[in-house]
Amino acid sequence: MANPERIGVKRLVVGAHYGTLDFLAQRATAVIMILYTLGFMIAVFFNAPFDYASWRQLFAFKISGVFPLGQLLATLFFVSLAWHAWIGVRDIWMDYVKPPLLRVGLEVLTVLWLLACTVFFAKIIWSL
């Protein structure tokens, strides 16, 4: 029998665990964003006299006067957008930026930027 240490080539596999789950997350967030965008466009289309009050009402509508559905759907859209962007930009950094320290630095800056955008969005949408 052959020596098991001599079979195959030793190589480092990096990022192998990202594949399937990230593929599914990209598609799920894309579907959420498409559905929200279509619903938003339909709502804008049927609000013919479009002014600030009707624009605000698109985000501030509530079910039974209590449940803030407009804000929740907008927040779900934006969180999906941030997650979708993170997966895509992270893959770009992993594929094209070879020095590890530079890549990690860019990934940290990307996460900080996306978190800051999400917090800023939440501050705006939940202050309606």
Side-chain angles (χ1 to χ4, degrees):
M1 203 167 217
N3 186 355
E5 293 177 23
R6 302 182 121 216
I7 297 175
V9 177
K10 289 185 180 181
R11 64 187 176 121
L12 179 63
V13 179
V14 178
H17 64 281
Y18 293 124
T20 305
L21 291 178
D22 284 344
F23 176 84
L24 293 173
Q26 273 301 101
R27 278 28 180 206
T29 55
V31 168
I32 290 169
M33 290 186 295
I34 287 170
L35 291 175
Y36 181 82
T37 302
L38 290 174
F40 188 78
M41 290 171 60
I42 289 168
V44 168
F45 180 73
F46 285 111
N47 276 338
F50 208 66
D51 56 356
Y52 177 73
S54 60
W55 178 257
R56 187 174 180 195
Q57 186 59 30
L58 283 174
F59 298 105
F61 73 93
K62 298 179 187 307
I63 295 178
S64 302
V66 179
F67 188 71
L69 186 61
Q71 292 166 321
L72 287 174
L73 290 176
T75 302
L76 176 64
F77 170 82
F78 200 82
V79 168
S80 296
L81 178 67
W83 190 6
H84 191 89
W86 163 244
I87 293 170
V89 173
R90 187 209 56 215
D91 287 349
I92 290 170
W93 296 146
M94 286 173 49
D95 288 344
Y96 296 109
V97 180
K98 296 306 177 191
L101 192 59
L102 178 60
R103 182 174 59 235
V104 170
L106 289 170
E107 288 174 350
V108 168
L109 288 175
T110 302
V111 168
L112 291 175
W113 173 254
L114 290 172
L115 284 175
C117 289
T118 304
V119 168
F120 186 64
F121 169 82
K123 180 182 181 292
I124 291 170
I125 202 74
W126 289 95
S127 66
L128 295 176

